[in-house]
Structures are given as structure tokens and as C-alpha cells.
Amino acid sequence: MSKCEIKIAFDRPDRIYRGGESVRGTVKISVNETVNSKGVKLSHRWKTHGRGNVDSGPEEIIVLSQSKLLMAGEEFEFPFELKTAPYPVSYHGQLISIDHYVRVDVDVPWARNPFAEEDYILRPGAVPPEMTGDRGSKVALKAAPAKLGMIATVFLSLFGVIFLTFIAAFAFFLLPVILAVVAFFWIRKTAVAARVGTVEVSMPHIIVAPGEDWPFEISFTPRKTFQVKSITLKIVATETTVSGSGSDRKTSTHELLAKSIPLRESSLLVAGELVNEKQLVKFPGLNAYSFDASDNKITWNAEVRIDIPRFPDWSKSEELQVVPAEFFGGESNPSRAAIGDFGDEGVDDDDEDKDISSTSEDDRDFERASDTDTESIDEDAHPPATSFARPATIGELVTQLESVGRHSTQRNEIIANAASKTYEVAVLIDRIVSSMGTMNFGERFANGKTVIGSIQNTNQAIQILASESENSELESFRRGDVWDTQIEITSWDTLYNRINGQTLE
């Protein structure tokens, strides 16, 4: 049994806060064994979890208690209050998840510190100070990297000089190959320019909000008459993670969304005649906001392509920065500013009246896109089923859940059919936390653990409540281990897109 039992209770049962708000709560500590504590501290920061290495934000520490003797049987309560940062907001995707954590440690000399950690949901709220209103270039919405010491700086500089010297020597022998590659691309670029001329692409808004009207324009005067297959704009959202290091370093990517927008269909372009395509594009309403950390990234790119049959295509790609609409401050409808960039040409009155800030909270919650549905985020690719047989295995349950749309209420029906049945499950562990928190889990689970992860060999998230009698077994597990157990299904968590279950008596 731990020397202390720690419970973190938030002032909001749903644990949902907005950027810039205060998170308040109470820390309750029950002492099981007399210890001479060096203090109790509460820390607060965001962390990633998923396939990549863990990235985290700066840690903020609040001292709840100085050094004191904690006697067995004593109970203590410490109120706390902390200010949330505007960014990053909570996110749960395919490869990357971002959560905000409150952790409490009791500092015990020469022993493992008793601790408890709980997460909460952070939604868009306050405008980050980096958002100045200029949408023509990206802003740095991330924590500054730690500064290196003098010795580390000198070492890295020396290493860089040696590395560059080695590359230069090696490149000398590859000079003919390098020149050949450069010549190839130069000839290709010259040939394309000889046909299309100078192409000007205008994206006035590099910073974009989901669902807004986004201004875009492409303009050029062909130097030769030629046929084009199409002129298209493609918007792509991608998760990228890096796991491991050195020779074990591995990069994984997942395409969240790829939306192609035709600007011009197959046609003949005449030399000397201006080609001008100017549109207000309805930007995808996928709330996967741009995120840039060391080993975890969410990126958005807009690529415009002139597809020329039997000839090299002309293309240009621009990285965008997608942020919550709330980050535009008093601009309740960012699409109105977008309309201002092109005037009212081609804009219907109905479009002008749309206000994405009126979108419901449920619509604004992002749930990860599946591998088979990157072209759209609606349910068209998954027609609703009319009835479901009771799944015999956990694999059948996952298959049924995947057969309906990500936002479908039928997932609750599927879970209800599986309730109270015993399932064998292998859980790929992401993290294990204390079940002591704001939720009433019942007496059997009050002092137990909560296991969060995914069902092995699937992308389905799962959370399992375990009783106190299983604590010793679970304490031997680490992130990435597989836990085989028997569970009962209890509910479906729409916020986290995961199965909730509990171990058997």
C-alpha cells in the first residue's frame, strides 16, 4: 500500500475548461504510513501521448505544503488554483493526442514519491498573445526550446563543423551526380515556364480557422497554347510522429484529410489569354489545429497544381496554420474578413451571413479520422446500420463500431448490446493512473487504477477501471506493455472516442 493516498478533485465535474480560465480544485491526502515529508507540490503542464516520443510544455509548479511530518491516519486538504494557457488545446487523433495534466507529488526522502495525476479538457478560449491579427504569415504557437549551456553550445558547434567538413568531402566525389540532378530539375522548370509563363498564387490568409471562407487566387498568362487536364487546389492535413532515436528512429505519418477542389476542368489554354481563378473556398471543418513540437506535428498544406497531359505538371505548395476561430478575438466570423480580401464578387448573401462561431460544441469537437475516410469527415462513407447482433468477441465489437460514422449515435446502441457481457481483451497500455478523482466509480474501484490505451492490433481507444486488488499487478506495467484481462463493457465515451469498461469481480 502506498504511504499516502492522493485524490485530485476539480471544481467542474466534466473537467472542461477554456484557455485563459482558472482551474480550481482540492487535493486530498490520506496518510497510511508516517513519513517525514519534504513538502507537497502540484505541477501543471501539457503532454503528448500516442505513437511518437513524448513532447511536453513547460512545467508550472505550485507548492502546497512545506516540509512536515505526516502521521499515519491524518488527512489533509489543499485548495489549488492555476491559470490555463491558451494553447495547445486538447486533441485526440490517430497518432497524436494532447492532454493537460495536474500532478501532485508528496516528496519522501530516499523513497519513491507517492503521486497522483489527472487530466482535464482544454478548449479554445483566450487569444494567445502571438495572435496580432496579421494573417499573412504563421506565428510561433509553441514553447521556446530550452537554452543550451556554454559547454553544450561549444560541443555542438564543433560537431557541426566536423560534420559539414565530412559532407563537403563526400559531396566532392558525388559532384557529377549532384550537377546532373540539378540540371534535370532546371531544364524541367524551364520547360514548364515556357508554356505556362509566370504563375501568381495568392493566399492572403496563411492563418485559417476551420469552416471559414478562405480566399484563394491563381493567375497566369500562358506563353503557348496547350491543353490542361485540370487546375486543382488540394488541402491536406497530416499527423507526423517520430519515435525512438538513433538507428531506432522511426517516422510515422497519417493523412487526416485530403480535399481536392477543382478550379478549372479540362480545357484549352490559349497563348496570351489571361487565366484567372479566384474563389472563396469553404475550408474543411476539421478541428485538428496546427501543432509543432519536436517529435509530434499536425500540419496543413495547400497545393495548387496545373495538370498538363504528357508533360511535367506545374505545382506549388504552401503550409498553412489552422487555429481555432476563437483565436481571432472580436472577429466573431473570420469568414467576413476573408470576403473583404476579394470583395463581394461571387459571394452569396446566404454565405455572408454564416457564422462559424455559432457552431455547437459537439460539432466543434474533433474526433480522429479513420484510415478509410480521408476525403470527408461526414458519415456518407459509413451508411448507418439498422440493427446490430450482440458481438461475441471484442474484435467483433470494434468492427461494429467502425461500420458506422464517427459521429453516429448508433455507437451507443452497439455498446448497449455489448453491456454486461464478458470479453477477453488485450490492451496496449498508454498510461495507468489512479482512479481517485472527481468521478464516482463505486466502492470497488475507489482506490484502484484506470488503464488507458488501445485494443491490441486496432486503433480503438479503451479505458478500463481496475479494482484495488489489481494495483500490485498493474504497477509492474509500463507504457507499451500489453495487459491481458477480462472486462465488462460499461459505456461509450463520445469525447475521447473510446470504449469504457471495468474488470470483473
Side-chain angles (χ1 to χ4, degrees):
M1 179 180 292
S2 173
K3 293 181 174 64
C4 299
E5 295 292 339
I6 306 170
K7 178 180 178 181
I8 303 172
F10 293 90
D11 64 335
R12 297 180 184 177
D14 59 6
R15 306 189 189 191
I16 297 176
Y17 300 87
R18 292 194 175 274
E21 288 186 335
S22 292
V23 176
R24 299 181 180 88
T26 303
V27 175
K28 299 180 181 180
I29 300 178
S30 300
V31 184
N32 300 320
E33 180 181 333
T34 300
V35 293
N36 188 15
S37 166
K38 294 179 65 177
V40 180
K41 70 174 184 179
L42 179 145
S43 57
H44 167 238
R45 66 175 176 175
W46 61 262
K47 292 189 296 185
T48 64
H49 57 93
R51 189 168 299 183
N53 299 326
V54 175
D55 284 311
S56 61
E59 187 177 44
E60 299 180 15
I61 297 177
I62 301 173
V63 176
L64 300 179
S65 173
Q66 302 294 338
S67 300
K68 65 184 304 182
L69 182 65
L70 305 180
M71 302 293 294
E74 287 185 321
E75 293 187 351
F76 300 90
E77 287 194 7
F78 302 101
F80 69 86
E81 179 177 351
L82 55 92
K83 190 73 170 292
T84 61
Y87 194 84
V89 298
S90 298
Y91 169 85
H92 300 93
Q94 184 76 14
L95 303 182
I96 303 169
S97 290
I98 306 168
D99 280 306
H100 291 256
Y101 294 90
V102 172
R103 173 174 169 140
V104 175
D105 288 82
V106 177
D107 191 350
V108 178
W110 309 107
R112 182 181 178 183
N113 291 342
F115 74 92
E117 186 176 66
E118 300 290 348
D119 60 341
Y120 64 88
I121 305 298
L122 183 68
R123 289 183 173 164
V127 180
E130 296 85 353
M131 296 288 293
T132 62
D134 179 11
R135 303 179 64 180
S137 59
K138 295 189 296 179
V139 297
L141 291 177
K142 61 178 182 179
K147 294 183 178 180
L148 296 173
M150 179 62 71
I151 296 177
T153 302
V154 172
F155 176 79
L156 288 177
S157 299
L158 181 60
F159 177 80
V161 170
I162 296 173
F163 180 75
L164 291 175
T165 303
F166 174 78
I167 292 296
F170 185 71
F172 178 78
F173 295 99
L174 294 178
L175 186 59
V177 177
I178 295 173
L179 291 176
V181 172
V182 171
F184 169 79
F185 283 102
W186 181 82
I187 293 171
R188 182 181 183 275
K189 181 178 180 180
T190 302
V192 174
R195 284 200 174 191
V196 301
T198 301
V199 182
E200 295 182 358
V201 175
S202 175
M203 301 180 191
H205 292 181
I206 299 301
I207 303 178
V208 193
E212 74 166 320
D213 291 323
W214 178 61
F216 171 84
E217 181 178 12
I218 178 172
S219 178
F220 63 98
T221 301
R223 293 175 179 171
K224 295 181 179 179
T225 299
F226 62 96
Q227 186 78 22
V228 294
K229 185 176 180 180
S230 64
I231 302 177
T232 58
L233 171 67
K234 188 176 183 180
I235 300 174
V236 180
T238 307
E239 291 180 334
T240 305
T241 63
V242 175
S243 58
S245 61
S247 59
D248 294 328
R249 183 181 177 88
K250 180 181 178 181
T251 301
S252 302
T253 61
H254 172 68
E255 193 173 85
L256 290 167
L257 178 140
K259 181 177 182 179
S260 292
I261 302 163
L263 303 174
R264 178 173 291 205
E265 301 294 345
S266 177
S267 61
L268 182 69
L269 304 186
V270 179
E273 291 189 4
L274 176 66
V275 176
N276 181 260
E277 298 295 341
K278 180 167 59 176
Q279 290 193 23
L280 284 175
V281 176
K282 180 61 68 177
F283 202 83
L286 186 65
N287 290 358
Y289 305 117
S290 297
F291 180 72
D292 185 7
S294 298
D295 294 324
N296 298 270
K297 300 181 187 298
I298 302 170
T299 55
W300 286 79
N301 286 276
E303 179 189 271
V304 60
R305 178 175 297 274
I306 304 174
D307 190 342
I308 308 173
R310 299 179 299 279
F311 199 79
D313 294 343
W314 183 96
S315 65
K316 180 180 179 179
S317 182
E318 183 78 38
E319 184 174 351
L320 306 176
Q321 186 171 23
V322 177
V323 302
E326 289 84 349
F327 285 8
F328 296 110
E331 204 174 293
S332 61
N333 185 358
S335 65
R336 295 301 302 133
I339 293 170
D341 281 305
F342 281 168
D344 294 335
E345 178 182 346
V347 182
D348 294 334
D349 290 339
D350 291 341
D351 291 334
E352 293 185 24
D353 291 335
K354 290 179 181 177
D355 185 350
I356 65 172
S357 66
S358 64
T359 306
S360 68
E361 291 293 343
D362 290 338
D363 292 336
R364 289 205 294 254
D365 284 338
F366 166 70
E367 295 181 31
R368 62 175 176 262
S370 67
D371 291 328
T372 58
D373 186 19
T374 58
E375 292 294 326
S376 172
I377 59 170
D378 58 28
E379 297 184 26
D380 294 341
H382 302 287
T386 55
S387 62
F388 305 94
R390 189 172 191 179
T393 65
I394 198 73
E396 289 184 13
L397 175 61
V398 172
T399 300
Q400 288 186 6
L401 291 170
E402 292 176 345
S403 71
V404 298
R406 295 187 304 279
H407 305 283
S408 175
T409 57
Q410 290 185 305
R411 289 194 164 187
N412 292 323
E413 179 185 341
I414 295 171
I415 292 296
N417 285 342
S420 301
K421 177 178 170 57
T422 300
Y423 290 98
E424 300 277 349
V425 62
V427 181
L428 181 63
I429 296 174
D430 180 45
R431 62 191 190 278
I432 301 175
V433 298
S434 170
S435 295
M436 297 180 68
T438 61
M439 304 302 292
N440 182 13
F441 295 129
E443 184 177 350
R444 188 161 70 91
F445 302 106
N447 298 315
K449 302 286 187 182
T450 300
V451 180
I452 302 168
S454 60
I455 297 174
Q456 190 179 28
N457 299 323
T458 76
N459 293 318
Q460 179 56 60
I462 189 169
Q463 174 177 277
I464 300 174
L465 296 178
S467 63
E468 185 178 4
S469 63
E470 297 167 285
N471 284 357
S472 57
E473 175 191 1
L474 292 173
E475 286 174 356
S476 66
F477 286 102
R478 296 294 180 267
R479 183 172 182 266
D481 291 344
V482 176
W483 178 41
D484 293 300
T485 188
Q486 291 185 325
I487 66 168
E488 291 179 346
I489 306 298
T490 57
S491 63
W492 173 255
D493 190 326
T494 57
L495 182 62
Y496 287 97
N497 198 30
R498 69 187 175 198
I499 298 170
N500 289 333
Q502 63 186 35
T503 55
L504 306 181
E505 293 283 357

